[in-house]
Every structure is written in structure tokens, then in C-alpha cells.
Amino acid sequence: MEGLFSHVHDATIRTLAVNGYQTVEVRGQVCCGALHAHAGLHEEALDLARANVAAFGDGDEPIVVNSAGCGA
């Protein structure tokens, strides 16, 4: 997503800002693993999901996702 669609990230940040939201990129976040899961790589998908759960922590802030399948 970052390589081919960074303009989508930029547009998302601008759109959220115009609507009064501040964005923070979470350190330690990784690929969500959805494509891994769809490819049958269940353990790898779980490892990535666990890494993201750890990165995002226990906060109650909204999580915004602007990609579906990373443009696959």
C-alpha cells in the first residue's frame, strides 16, 4: 500500500484533518495479515495480527484503515 498508494494515505490524513481529527501512525504496526490468511498462511497471519494488537495496545482511540487488500 505504501509503495503504490501513498497518495491515498496522504488524502486520508488530509480528509481526517479537515474534519477535525488528528492522526498518529502507530509505531510497531505491521501488515494486517489478511492476504496471508487468504493465501492459507494461517500462522503467519496470526503472528502479524498479534504484532498489531501489541502495537495498538489497550487504548480506546478509533483505528482508521484506508486499504482493502493493500490494492491487491
Side-chain angles (χ1 to χ4, degrees):
M1 184 73 183
E2 182 73 25
L4 296 176
F5 296 102
S6 61
H7 64 283
V8 175
H9 288 311
D10 297 339
T12 301
I13 291 168
R14 285 192 311 272
T15 301
L16 289 168
V18 165
N19 287 283
Y21 294 94
Q22 175 187 6
T23 57
V24 177
E25 187 169 331
V26 176
R27 292 181 139 198
Q29 71 179 344
V30 295
C31 169
C32 74
L35 293 179
H36 294 76
H38 294 306
L41 303 171
H42 188 69
E43 287 304 315
E44 290 88 341
L46 286 175
D47 289 342
L48 291 166
R50 288 183 189 109
N52 281 325
V53 168
F56 283 96
D58 293 330
D60 61 356
E61 297 86 3
I63 298 171
V64 176
V65 178
N66 64 358
S67 63
C70 290

Short mmCIF file of all heavy atoms in Angstrom, two decimals:
data_model
loop_
_atom_site.label_atom_id
_atom_site.label_comp_id
_atom_site.label_asym_id
_atom_site.label_seq_id
_atom_site.Cartn_x
_atom_site.Cartn_y
_atom_site.Cartn_z
N MET A 1 0.84 -1.19 0.00
CA MET A 1 0.00 0.00 0.00
C MET A 1 0.88 1.25 0.00
O MET A 1 0.63 2.17 -0.76
CB MET A 1 -0.92 -0.05 1.22
CG MET A 1 -1.91 1.06 1.29
SD MET A 1 -3.19 0.86 0.08
CE MET A 1 -4.11 2.33 0.34
N GLU A 2 1.87 1.27 0.86
CA GLU A 2 2.72 2.45 0.97
C GLU A 2 3.44 2.75 -0.35
O GLU A 2 3.55 3.90 -0.75
CB GLU A 2 3.74 2.24 2.10
CG GLU A 2 4.64 3.42 2.34
CD GLU A 2 3.94 4.59 3.02
OE1 GLU A 2 2.94 4.36 3.71
OE2 GLU A 2 4.41 5.72 2.85
N GLY A 3 3.92 1.71 -1.01
CA GLY A 3 4.70 1.91 -2.23
C GLY A 3 3.90 2.46 -3.39
O GLY A 3 4.34 3.37 -4.09
N LEU A 4 2.74 1.90 -3.64
CA LEU A 4 1.96 2.30 -4.80
C LEU A 4 0.85 3.29 -4.51
O LEU A 4 0.38 3.98 -5.40
CB LEU A 4 1.34 1.05 -5.45
CG LEU A 4 2.32 0.03 -6.02
CD1 LEU A 4 1.57 -1.20 -6.54
CD2 LEU A 4 3.15 0.66 -7.14
N PHE A 5 0.39 3.33 -3.27
CA PHE A 5 -0.78 4.13 -2.95
C PHE A 5 -0.54 5.11 -1.82
O PHE A 5 -1.45 5.42 -1.04
CB PHE A 5 -1.96 3.22 -2.62
CG PHE A 5 -2.40 2.37 -3.78
CD1 PHE A 5 -2.04 1.04 -3.84
CD2 PHE A 5 -3.16 2.92 -4.80
CE1 PHE A 5 -2.44 0.26 -4.91
CE2 PHE A 5 -3.55 2.14 -5.87
CZ PHE A 5 -3.20 0.80 -5.94
N SER A 6 0.68 5.65 -1.71
CA SER A 6 0.95 6.60 -0.62
C SER A 6 0.07 7.84 -0.74
O SER A 6 -0.27 8.46 0.27
CB SER A 6 2.43 6.99 -0.60
OG SER A 6 2.79 7.62 -1.81
N HIS A 7 -0.36 8.16 -1.96
CA HIS A 7 -1.26 9.30 -2.13
C HIS A 7 -2.61 9.07 -1.43
O HIS A 7 -3.24 10.02 -0.98
CB HIS A 7 -1.49 9.59 -3.62
CG HIS A 7 -2.18 8.50 -4.37
ND1 HIS A 7 -1.54 7.35 -4.76
CD2 HIS A 7 -3.47 8.38 -4.76
CE1 HIS A 7 -2.39 6.56 -5.39
NE2 HIS A 7 -3.58 7.16 -5.40
N VAL A 8 -3.01 7.81 -1.29
CA VAL A 8 -4.25 7.51 -0.57
C VAL A 8 -4.06 7.79 0.92
O VAL A 8 -4.94 8.35 1.58
CB VAL A 8 -4.68 6.04 -0.81
CG1 VAL A 8 -5.90 5.69 0.03
CG2 VAL A 8 -4.97 5.82 -2.29
N HIS A 9 -2.88 7.41 1.45
CA HIS A 9 -2.58 7.73 2.85
C HIS A 9 -2.63 9.24 3.08
O HIS A 9 -3.23 9.72 4.03
CB HIS A 9 -1.20 7.21 3.26
CG HIS A 9 -1.12 5.73 3.38
ND1 HIS A 9 -2.02 4.97 4.10
CD2 HIS A 9 -0.20 4.86 2.90
CE1 HIS A 9 -1.67 3.71 4.04
NE2 HIS A 9 -0.59 3.61 3.32
N ASP A 10 -1.97 9.97 2.17
CA ASP A 10 -1.94 11.43 2.30
C ASP A 10 -3.34 12.03 2.24
O ASP A 10 -3.68 12.91 3.03
CB ASP A 10 -1.06 12.04 1.21
CG ASP A 10 0.40 11.61 1.32
OD1 ASP A 10 0.82 11.19 2.41
OD2 ASP A 10 1.11 11.69 0.29
N ALA A 11 -4.16 11.55 1.32
CA ALA A 11 -5.52 12.06 1.18
C ALA A 11 -6.36 11.72 2.42
O ALA A 11 -7.17 12.54 2.86
CB ALA A 11 -6.17 11.48 -0.08
N THR A 12 -6.14 10.56 2.99
CA THR A 12 -6.87 10.17 4.19
C THR A 12 -6.52 11.09 5.34
O THR A 12 -7.41 11.56 6.07
CB THR A 12 -6.55 8.71 4.56
OG1 THR A 12 -6.92 7.85 3.46
CG2 THR A 12 -7.29 8.28 5.81
N ILE A 13 -5.25 11.38 5.52
CA ILE A 13 -4.80 12.27 6.60
C ILE A 13 -5.40 13.66 6.40
O ILE A 13 -5.90 14.27 7.36
CB ILE A 13 -3.27 12.30 6.67
CG1 ILE A 13 -2.75 10.95 7.15
CG2 ILE A 13 -2.79 13.44 7.57
CD1 ILE A 13 -1.25 10.76 7.00
N ARG A 14 -5.37 14.17 5.16
CA ARG A 14 -5.95 15.49 4.89
C ARG A 14 -7.46 15.50 5.16
O ARG A 14 -7.98 16.44 5.76
CB ARG A 14 -5.69 15.90 3.44
CG ARG A 14 -4.28 16.33 3.15
CD ARG A 14 -4.15 17.01 1.78
NE ARG A 14 -4.75 16.27 0.69
CZ ARG A 14 -4.13 15.32 -0.02
NH1 ARG A 14 -2.88 14.99 0.26
NH2 ARG A 14 -4.75 14.72 -1.01
N THR A 15 -8.14 14.46 4.73
CA THR A 15 -9.59 14.39 4.93
C THR A 15 -9.95 14.35 6.42
O THR A 15 -10.87 15.04 6.87
CB THR A 15 -10.17 13.16 4.21
OG1 THR A 15 -9.87 13.27 2.82
CG2 THR A 15 -11.67 13.04 4.41
N LEU A 16 -9.21 13.54 7.17
CA LEU A 16 -9.46 13.48 8.61
C LEU A 16 -9.17 14.82 9.28
O LEU A 16 -9.93 15.26 10.14
CB LEU A 16 -8.64 12.35 9.24
CG LEU A 16 -9.11 10.94 8.88
CD1 LEU A 16 -8.06 9.92 9.30
CD2 LEU A 16 -10.45 10.63 9.51
N ALA A 17 -8.08 15.47 8.87
CA ALA A 17 -7.72 16.77 9.46
C ALA A 17 -8.79 17.82 9.20
O ALA A 17 -9.17 18.57 10.11
CB ALA A 17 -6.37 17.24 8.92
N VAL A 18 -9.30 17.87 7.98
CA VAL A 18 -10.35 18.83 7.64
C VAL A 18 -11.59 18.61 8.50
O VAL A 18 -12.32 19.54 8.82
CB VAL A 18 -10.70 18.73 6.13
CG1 VAL A 18 -12.01 19.42 5.79
CG2 VAL A 18 -9.58 19.31 5.30
N ASN A 19 -11.79 17.37 8.91
CA ASN A 19 -12.95 17.03 9.72
C ASN A 19 -12.65 17.02 11.22
O ASN A 19 -13.44 16.52 12.02
CB ASN A 19 -13.52 15.69 9.28
CG ASN A 19 -14.23 15.80 7.96
OD1 ASN A 19 -15.35 16.29 7.90
ND2 ASN A 19 -13.57 15.41 6.88
N GLY A 20 -11.48 17.59 11.59
CA GLY A 20 -11.17 17.79 12.99
C GLY A 20 -10.47 16.64 13.70
O GLY A 20 -10.40 16.64 14.92
N TYR A 21 -9.95 15.70 12.95
CA TYR A 21 -9.26 14.56 13.56
C TYR A 21 -7.76 14.66 13.40
O TYR A 21 -7.26 15.06 12.35
CB TYR A 21 -9.74 13.24 12.94
CG TYR A 21 -11.19 12.95 13.23
CD1 TYR A 21 -12.17 13.33 12.32
CD2 TYR A 21 -11.57 12.32 14.40
CE1 TYR A 21 -13.50 13.07 12.57
CE2 TYR A 21 -12.90 12.06 14.66
CZ TYR A 21 -13.86 12.44 13.75
OH TYR A 21 -15.18 12.18 14.00
N GLN A 22 -7.04 14.28 14.44
CA GLN A 22 -5.59 14.20 14.39
C GLN A 22 -5.23 12.74 14.12
O GLN A 22 -5.85 11.83 14.67
CB GLN A 22 -4.99 14.63 15.73
CG GLN A 22 -3.49 14.46 15.79
CD GLN A 22 -2.95 14.75 17.18
OE1 GLN A 22 -3.70 14.96 18.13
NE2 GLN A 22 -1.64 14.72 17.30
N THR A 23 -4.24 12.52 13.28
CA THR A 23 -3.82 11.14 13.01
C THR A 23 -2.45 10.90 13.61
O THR A 23 -1.61 11.80 13.68
CB THR A 23 -3.75 10.86 11.49
OG1 THR A 23 -2.88 11.80 10.88
CG2 THR A 23 -5.13 10.95 10.86
N VAL A 24 -2.26 9.67 14.06
CA VAL A 24 -0.98 9.25 14.63
C VAL A 24 -0.65 7.89 14.03
O VAL A 24 -1.47 6.97 14.10
CB VAL A 24 -1.07 9.13 16.16
CG1 VAL A 24 0.23 8.61 16.74
CG2 VAL A 24 -1.45 10.46 16.78
N GLU A 25 0.50 7.79 13.40
CA GLU A 25 0.92 6.49 12.89
C GLU A 25 1.50 5.70 14.06
O GLU A 25 2.37 6.18 14.78
CB GLU A 25 1.96 6.64 11.79
CG GLU A 25 2.27 5.33 11.13
CD GLU A 25 3.10 5.49 9.87
OE1 GLU A 25 2.99 6.52 9.20
OE2 GLU A 25 3.86 4.56 9.57
N VAL A 26 1.02 4.50 14.25
CA VAL A 26 1.41 3.68 15.39
C VAL A 26 2.71 2.95 15.08
O VAL A 26 2.79 2.19 14.11
CB VAL A 26 0.29 2.68 15.74
CG1 VAL A 26 0.72 1.75 16.86
CG2 VAL A 26 -0.97 3.43 16.12
N ARG A 27 3.71 3.21 15.91
CA ARG A 27 4.99 2.50 15.76
C ARG A 27 4.78 1.03 16.07
O ARG A 27 4.03 0.68 16.98
CB ARG A 27 6.03 3.07 16.71
CG ARG A 27 6.44 4.47 16.34
CD ARG A 27 7.49 4.95 17.30
NE ARG A 27 8.48 5.67 16.51
CZ ARG A 27 9.69 5.95 16.91
NH1 ARG A 27 10.08 5.57 18.10
NH2 ARG A 27 10.51 6.61 16.14
N GLY A 28 5.41 0.19 15.31
CA GLY A 28 5.32 -1.24 15.57
C GLY A 28 4.20 -1.93 14.82
O GLY A 28 4.12 -3.15 14.81
N GLN A 29 3.33 -1.15 14.16
CA GLN A 29 2.28 -1.81 13.39
C GLN A 29 2.89 -2.45 12.14
O GLN A 29 3.88 -1.98 11.61
CB GLN A 29 1.18 -0.84 13.02
CG GLN A 29 1.55 0.19 11.98
CD GLN A 29 0.39 1.10 11.65
OE1 GLN A 29 -0.75 0.81 11.95
NE2 GLN A 29 0.69 2.23 11.03
N VAL A 30 2.29 -3.54 11.73
CA VAL A 30 2.77 -4.28 10.56
C VAL A 30 1.59 -4.58 9.65
O VAL A 30 0.46 -4.19 9.93
CB VAL A 30 3.46 -5.60 11.01
CG1 VAL A 30 4.72 -5.31 11.81
CG2 VAL A 30 2.51 -6.48 11.80
N CYS A 31 1.86 -5.28 8.60
CA CYS A 31 0.81 -5.76 7.70
C CYS A 31 -0.27 -6.44 8.52
O CYS A 31 0.02 -7.13 9.51
CB CYS A 31 1.44 -6.73 6.70
SG CYS A 31 0.26 -7.67 5.71
N CYS A 32 -1.52 -6.29 8.14
CA CYS A 32 -2.61 -6.88 8.92
C CYS A 32 -2.68 -8.39 8.78
O CYS A 32 -3.26 -9.06 9.62
CB CYS A 32 -3.94 -6.26 8.51
SG CYS A 32 -4.56 -6.80 6.90
N GLY A 33 -2.12 -8.94 7.73
CA GLY A 33 -2.10 -10.39 7.56
C GLY A 33 -3.28 -10.95 6.79
O GLY A 33 -3.37 -12.16 6.59
N ALA A 34 -4.19 -10.09 6.34
CA ALA A 34 -5.36 -10.59 5.62
C ALA A 34 -4.98 -11.38 4.37
O ALA A 34 -5.54 -12.45 4.11
CB ALA A 34 -6.29 -9.44 5.26
N LEU A 35 -4.04 -10.85 3.61
CA LEU A 35 -3.64 -11.57 2.40
C LEU A 35 -2.98 -12.89 2.75
O LEU A 35 -3.14 -13.89 2.03
CB LEU A 35 -2.72 -10.71 1.54
CG LEU A 35 -3.37 -9.48 0.91
CD1 LEU A 35 -2.35 -8.68 0.10
CD2 LEU A 35 -4.55 -9.87 0.04
N HIS A 36 -2.25 -12.92 3.86
CA HIS A 36 -1.65 -14.18 4.31
C HIS A 36 -2.74 -15.20 4.63
O HIS A 36 -2.65 -16.36 4.25
CB HIS A 36 -0.79 -13.95 5.56
CG HIS A 36 0.41 -13.10 5.31
ND1 HIS A 36 0.32 -11.73 5.17
CD2 HIS A 36 1.71 -13.41 5.19
CE1 HIS A 36 1.53 -11.24 4.96
NE2 HIS A 36 2.39 -12.23 4.96
N ALA A 37 -3.76 -14.73 5.34
CA ALA A 37 -4.87 -15.62 5.70
C ALA A 37 -5.58 -16.15 4.46
O ALA A 37 -5.86 -17.35 4.36
CB ALA A 37 -5.86 -14.90 6.61
N HIS A 38 -5.82 -15.27 3.49
CA HIS A 38 -6.50 -15.70 2.26
C HIS A 38 -5.65 -16.68 1.46
O HIS A 38 -6.19 -17.49 0.71
CB HIS A 38 -6.86 -14.49 1.40
CG HIS A 38 -7.88 -13.60 2.02
ND1 HIS A 38 -9.10 -14.04 2.46
CD2 HIS A 38 -7.85 -12.27 2.30
CE1 HIS A 38 -9.78 -13.03 2.96
NE2 HIS A 38 -9.04 -11.94 2.89
N ALA A 39 -4.34 -16.58 1.62
CA ALA A 39 -3.42 -17.48 0.90
C ALA A 39 -3.19 -18.78 1.67
O ALA A 39 -2.41 -19.62 1.24
CB ALA A 39 -2.09 -16.78 0.66
N GLY A 40 -3.87 -18.94 2.81
CA GLY A 40 -3.73 -20.17 3.57
C GLY A 40 -2.56 -20.18 4.54
O GLY A 40 -2.23 -21.21 5.11
N LEU A 41 -1.94 -19.03 4.75
CA LEU A 41 -0.80 -18.93 5.66
C LEU A 41 -1.31 -18.49 7.03
O LEU A 41 -1.04 -17.38 7.50
CB LEU A 41 0.24 -17.95 5.10
CG LEU A 41 0.77 -18.29 3.71
CD1 LEU A 41 1.60 -17.15 3.16
CD2 LEU A 41 1.56 -19.59 3.76
N HIS A 42 -2.07 -19.37 7.66
CA HIS A 42 -2.79 -19.04 8.88
C HIS A 42 -1.87 -18.61 10.02
O HIS A 42 -2.13 -17.61 10.69
CB HIS A 42 -3.65 -20.23 9.31
CG HIS A 42 -4.58 -19.93 10.44
ND1 HIS A 42 -5.66 -19.08 10.30
CD2 HIS A 42 -4.57 -20.33 11.72
CE1 HIS A 42 -6.28 -18.99 11.45
NE2 HIS A 42 -5.65 -19.74 12.33
N GLU A 43 -0.81 -19.33 10.27
CA GLU A 43 0.10 -18.99 11.38
C GLU A 43 0.77 -17.65 11.15
O GLU A 43 0.90 -16.84 12.09
CB GLU A 43 1.14 -20.09 11.60
CG GLU A 43 0.56 -21.35 12.23
CD GLU A 43 -0.14 -21.08 13.55
OE1 GLU A 43 0.40 -20.34 14.40
OE2 GLU A 43 -1.26 -21.61 13.74
N GLU A 44 1.19 -17.38 9.92
CA GLU A 44 1.82 -16.09 9.61
C GLU A 44 0.82 -14.96 9.81
O GLU A 44 1.16 -13.90 10.34
CB GLU A 44 2.36 -16.08 8.18
CG GLU A 44 3.56 -16.97 7.97
CD GLU A 44 3.20 -18.41 7.59
OE1 GLU A 44 2.03 -18.85 7.82
OE2 GLU A 44 4.08 -19.10 7.08
N ALA A 45 -0.43 -15.18 9.41
CA ALA A 45 -1.48 -14.17 9.60
C ALA A 45 -1.69 -13.90 11.08
O ALA A 45 -1.81 -12.75 11.49
CB ALA A 45 -2.77 -14.63 8.93
N LEU A 46 -1.73 -14.96 11.88
CA LEU A 46 -1.90 -14.78 13.32
C LEU A 46 -0.74 -14.03 13.95
O LEU A 46 -0.93 -13.17 14.82
CB LEU A 46 -2.07 -16.14 14.01
CG LEU A 46 -3.42 -16.83 13.81
CD1 LEU A 46 -3.40 -18.21 14.44
CD2 LEU A 46 -4.54 -15.99 14.40
N ASP A 47 0.49 -14.33 13.50
CA ASP A 47 1.66 -13.62 14.03
C ASP A 47 1.56 -12.13 13.75
O ASP A 47 1.85 -11.29 14.62
CB ASP A 47 2.95 -14.18 13.42
CG ASP A 47 3.30 -15.57 13.93
OD1 ASP A 47 2.77 -15.98 14.99
OD2 ASP A 47 4.11 -16.25 13.26
N LEU A 48 1.15 -11.78 12.53
CA LEU A 48 1.01 -10.36 12.18
C LEU A 48 -0.11 -9.70 12.98
O LEU A 48 0.05 -8.58 13.47
CB LEU A 48 0.75 -10.22 10.68
CG LEU A 48 1.94 -10.60 9.78
CD1 LEU A 48 1.48 -10.75 8.33
CD2 LEU A 48 3.05 -9.58 9.90
N ALA A 49 -1.22 -10.40 13.14
CA ALA A 49 -2.33 -9.85 13.93
C ALA A 49 -1.90 -9.62 15.37
O ALA A 49 -2.20 -8.57 15.97
CB ALA A 49 -3.53 -10.79 13.87
N ARG A 50 -1.18 -10.56 15.94
CA ARG A 50 -0.70 -10.40 17.32
C ARG A 50 0.24 -9.21 17.45
O ARG A 50 0.19 -8.47 18.44
CB ARG A 50 0.00 -11.68 17.78
CG ARG A 50 -0.95 -12.82 18.04
CD ARG A 50 -0.21 -14.05 18.57
NE ARG A 50 -1.09 -15.18 18.62
CZ ARG A 50 -1.04 -16.24 17.81
NH1 ARG A 50 -0.11 -16.33 16.87
NH2 ARG A 50 -1.90 -17.23 17.94
N ALA A 51 1.10 -9.01 16.46
CA ALA A 51 2.01 -7.86 16.49
C ALA A 51 1.23 -6.56 16.49
O ALA A 51 1.58 -5.61 17.21
CB ALA A 51 2.97 -7.92 15.30
N ASN A 52 0.16 -6.50 15.72
CA ASN A 52 -0.66 -5.28 15.68
C ASN A 52 -1.43 -5.07 16.97
O ASN A 52 -1.54 -3.93 17.44
CB ASN A 52 -1.60 -5.31 14.48
CG ASN A 52 -0.88 -4.94 13.21
OD1 ASN A 52 0.02 -4.11 13.22
ND2 ASN A 52 -1.26 -5.56 12.12
N VAL A 53 -1.94 -6.13 17.55
CA VAL A 53 -2.64 -6.00 18.84
C VAL A 53 -1.67 -5.42 19.87
O VAL A 53 -2.02 -4.52 20.64
CB VAL A 53 -3.22 -7.35 19.30
CG1 VAL A 53 -3.67 -7.28 20.75
CG2 VAL A 53 -4.37 -7.76 18.39
N ALA A 54 -0.44 -5.92 19.88
CA ALA A 54 0.57 -5.41 20.81
C ALA A 54 0.91 -3.95 20.51
O ALA A 54 1.05 -3.13 21.42
CB ALA A 54 1.82 -6.27 20.77
N ALA A 55 1.02 -3.59 19.23
CA ALA A 55 1.39 -2.22 18.85
C ALA A 55 0.29 -1.22 19.22
O ALA A 55 0.59 -0.13 19.70
CB ALA A 55 1.68 -2.16 17.35
N PHE A 56 -0.96 -1.59 19.00
CA PHE A 56 -2.06 -0.66 19.26
C PHE A 56 -2.43 -0.59 20.73
O PHE A 56 -3.00 0.39 21.17
CB PHE A 56 -3.28 -1.02 18.41
CG PHE A 56 -3.13 -0.61 16.97
CD1 PHE A 56 -2.68 -1.50 16.02
CD2 PHE A 56 -3.42 0.68 16.57
CE1 PHE A 56 -2.53 -1.13 14.69
CE2 PHE A 56 -3.26 1.07 15.26
CZ PHE A 56 -2.82 0.17 14.31
N GLY A 57 -2.12 -1.61 21.49
CA GLY A 57 -2.34 -1.57 22.92
C GLY A 57 -3.81 -1.60 23.31
O GLY A 57 -4.66 -2.03 22.55
N ASP A 58 -4.06 -1.09 24.51
CA ASP A 58 -5.39 -1.16 25.09
C ASP A 58 -6.17 0.15 24.97
O ASP A 58 -7.18 0.33 25.65
CB ASP A 58 -5.30 -1.53 26.58
CG ASP A 58 -4.78 -2.93 26.79
OD1 ASP A 58 -5.03 -3.79 25.92
OD2 ASP A 58 -4.13 -3.18 27.82
N GLY A 59 -5.71 1.06 24.14
CA GLY A 59 -6.37 2.35 24.01
C GLY A 59 -7.77 2.23 23.45
O GLY A 59 -8.17 1.19 22.91
N ASP A 60 -8.54 3.30 23.57
CA ASP A 60 -9.89 3.29 23.03
C ASP A 60 -10.05 4.26 21.86
O ASP A 60 -11.15 4.60 21.46
CB ASP A 60 -10.91 3.61 24.13
CG ASP A 60 -10.70 4.98 24.76
OD1 ASP A 60 -9.73 5.67 24.42
OD2 ASP A 60 -11.54 5.36 25.59
N GLU A 61 -8.92 4.69 21.30
CA GLU A 61 -8.97 5.58 20.15
C GLU A 61 -9.41 4.79 18.91
O GLU A 61 -9.12 3.61 18.78
CB GLU A 61 -7.58 6.20 19.86
CG GLU A 61 -7.05 7.06 20.96
CD GLU A 61 -6.30 6.27 22.03
OE1 GLU A 61 -6.16 5.04 21.88
OE2 GLU A 61 -5.88 6.87 23.02
N PRO A 62 -10.11 5.47 18.01
CA PRO A 62 -10.52 4.79 16.76
C PRO A 62 -9.30 4.42 15.92
O PRO A 62 -8.29 5.11 15.94
CB PRO A 62 -11.36 5.82 16.03
CG PRO A 62 -11.56 6.96 16.96
CD PRO A 62 -10.59 6.83 18.07
N ILE A 63 -9.42 3.33 15.21
CA ILE A 63 -8.39 2.89 14.27
C ILE A 63 -8.97 3.04 12.89
O ILE A 63 -10.02 2.47 12.56
CB ILE A 63 -7.97 1.44 14.53
CG1 ILE A 63 -7.36 1.31 15.93
CG2 ILE A 63 -7.00 0.96 13.46
CD1 ILE A 63 -7.10 -0.12 16.37
N VAL A 64 -8.30 3.83 12.05
CA VAL A 64 -8.78 4.09 10.68
C VAL A 64 -7.91 3.30 9.71
O VAL A 64 -6.69 3.36 9.76
CB VAL A 64 -8.70 5.60 10.34
CG1 VAL A 64 -9.10 5.85 8.90
CG2 VAL A 64 -9.57 6.39 11.30
N VAL A 65 -8.56 2.57 8.83
CA VAL A 65 -7.88 1.77 7.81
C VAL A 65 -8.38 2.25 6.45
O VAL A 65 -9.58 2.31 6.22
CB VAL A 65 -8.16 0.27 8.00
CG1 VAL A 65 -7.49 -0.54 6.91
CG2 VAL A 65 -7.74 -0.19 9.38
N ASN A 66 -7.46 2.56 5.57
CA ASN A 66 -7.87 3.09 4.27
C ASN A 66 -7.47 2.17 3.13
O ASN A 66 -7.43 2.58 1.99
CB ASN A 66 -7.27 4.49 4.04
CG ASN A 66 -5.75 4.46 3.97
OD1 ASN A 66 -5.13 3.42 4.12
ND2 ASN A 66 -5.18 5.59 3.71
N SER A 67 -7.20 0.92 3.43
CA SER A 67 -6.84 -0.01 2.36
C SER A 67 -7.62 -1.30 2.51
O SER A 67 -7.98 -1.71 3.60
CB SER A 67 -5.34 -0.31 2.39
OG SER A 67 -5.00 -0.96 3.61
N ALA A 68 -7.88 -1.90 1.39
CA ALA A 68 -8.53 -3.21 1.38
C ALA A 68 -7.66 -4.12 0.53
O ALA A 68 -7.55 -3.95 -0.68
CB ALA A 68 -9.93 -3.11 0.78
N GLY A 69 -7.01 -5.04 1.18
CA GLY A 69 -6.12 -5.94 0.46
C GLY A 69 -4.91 -5.23 -0.11
O GLY A 69 -4.27 -5.74 -1.03
N CYS A 70 -4.58 -4.07 0.46
CA CYS A 70 -3.41 -3.30 0.02
C CYS A 70 -3.35 -3.13 -1.49
O CYS A 70 -2.30 -3.20 -2.11
CB CYS A 70 -2.12 -3.92 0.54
SG CYS A 70 -1.94 -3.74 2.32
N GLY A 71 -4.50 -2.95 -2.08
CA GLY A 71 -4.54 -2.70 -3.51
C GLY A 71 -4.30 -3.94 -4.35
O GLY A 71 -4.06 -3.85 -5.54
N ALA A 72 -4.36 -5.10 -3.71
CA ALA A 72 -4.11 -6.34 -4.44
C ALA A 72 -5.14 -6.53 -5.53
O ALA A 72 -4.92 -7.17 -6.50
CB ALA A 72 -4.14 -7.53 -3.49
#
